[in-house]
């Protein structure tokens, strides 16, 4: 029983650590990318129409995460996107908070209000596609549950064998006592 509980707790804890680590890394990645875009927008006096050319450079070669950035005005009208993708379920930026994170259908959204050098206020938003990561976690969770089931069955079988073997001398003593009568 102790082995089963230990294996179960270890399994669930390792899964929890993995999920927490991935979520933290994702949030840090989006925040860093938004910080980069915001600082570049503030350092350059870039016209919003020039943003498409400004964003032609590749994102990060070291990351497999796919992030999309967009800028909207105060009315929620999309001004610029990087790269363009119509399939993203962007939250309504006029009803969303001035900054924060939201998760919708496997997408992690982060937004913040930015004041440009020309005194224009815009909403800088990032969308991180986590669907592949969530599919991986689902497969991993199924594998962990399978391993936990096998480990539980093995613990039960070994435990029963140990109990049976440890009770064997008591059974012999009981049989001898019965024969003496």
């Amino acid at each position: 029983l102790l082995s089963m509980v230990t294996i179960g707790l270890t399994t669930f804890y390792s899964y929890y650590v993995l999920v927490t680590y991935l979520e933290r890394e994702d949030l840090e990645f989006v925040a860093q990318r938004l910080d980069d875009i915001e600082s570049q927008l503030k350092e350059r006096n870039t016209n919003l129409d020039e943003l498409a050319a400004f964003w032609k450079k590749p994102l990060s070669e070291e990351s497999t995460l796919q992030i999309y950035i967009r800028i909207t005005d105060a009315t929620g009208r999309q001004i610029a996107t990087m790269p363009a993708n119509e399939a993203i379920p962007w939250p309504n930026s006029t009803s969303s908070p001035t900054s924060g994170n939201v998760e919708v259908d496997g997408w992690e959204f982060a937004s913040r209000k930015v004041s440009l050098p020309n005194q224009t206020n815009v909403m800088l938003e990032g969308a991180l596609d986590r669907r592949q990561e969530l599919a991986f976690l689902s497969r991993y969770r199924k594998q962990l549950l399978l391993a936990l089931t096998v480990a539980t069955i093995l613990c039960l079988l070994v435990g029963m064998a140990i109990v049976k073997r440890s009770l064997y001398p008591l059974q012999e003593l009981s049989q001898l006592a019965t024969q003496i009568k």
Side-chain angles (χ1 to χ4, degrees):
L1 182 62
L2 181 61
S3 296
M4 289 174 16
V5 169
T6 303
I7 291 170
L9 289 175
T10 303
T11 301
F12 289 117
Y13 178 72
S14 65
Y15 180 76
Y16 169 77
V17 168
L18 176 64
V19 169
T20 304
Y21 173 79
L22 289 174
E23 287 175 353
R24 187 180 70 239
E25 287 293 311
D26 290 349
L27 291 175
E28 288 175 4
F29 178 75
V30 172
Q32 181 61 47
R33 189 63 182 153
L34 289 179
D35 288 345
D36 292 345
I37 298 292
E38 181 179 356
S39 67
Q40 290 175 358
L41 286 172
K42 288 182 175 182
E43 287 173 7
R44 298 174 169 213
N45 195 2
T46 306
N47 184 327
L48 292 177
D49 295 331
E50 299 169 357
L51 284 177
F54 170 66
W55 279 341
K56 289 294 184 196
K57 68 177 188 163
L59 289 173
S60 174
E61 298 298 326
E62 61 202 41
S63 177
T64 59
L65 298 173
Q66 182 63 46
I67 187 169
Y68 299 89
I69 306 290
R70 82 172 179 170
I71 295 179
T72 58
D73 62 15
T75 66
R77 182 180 63 89
Q78 185 170 294
I79 298 171
T81 60
M82 174 190 82
N85 186 340
E86 299 301 320
I88 301 173
W90 291 100
N92 185 354
S93 51
T94 56
S95 64
S96 64
T98 56
S99 65
N101 296 321
V102 178
E103 187 166 335
V104 178
D105 297 330
W107 290 85
E108 182 78 31
F109 296 98
S111 61
R112 63 175 70 157
K113 196 176 255 187
V114 176
S115 295
L116 299 177
N118 65 2
Q119 305 306 318
T120 304
N121 289 324
V122 295
M123 184 67 76
L124 181 60
E125 299 173 285
L128 181 66
D129 187 357
R130 294 191 66 220
R131 293 175 295 178
Q132 185 177 17
E133 188 176 279
L134 294 174
F136 162 76
L137 286 173
S138 175
R139 288 189 308 271
Y140 184 69
R141 186 174 46 250
K142 289 175 186 172
Q143 292 298 319
L144 278 179
L145 288 175
L146 176 64
L148 183 60
T149 302
V150 169
T152 301
I153 291 170
L154 285 175
C155 283
L156 285 172
L157 293 175
V158 170
M160 287 175 19
I162 290 172
V163 167
K164 188 174 181 178
R165 182 158 175 94
S166 64
L167 291 177
Y168 185 72
L170 187 59
Q171 288 174 344
E172 283 185 346
L173 185 61
S174 175
Q175 287 175 354
L176 278 175
T178 307
Q179 290 175 358
I180 292 175
K181 286 183 187 179

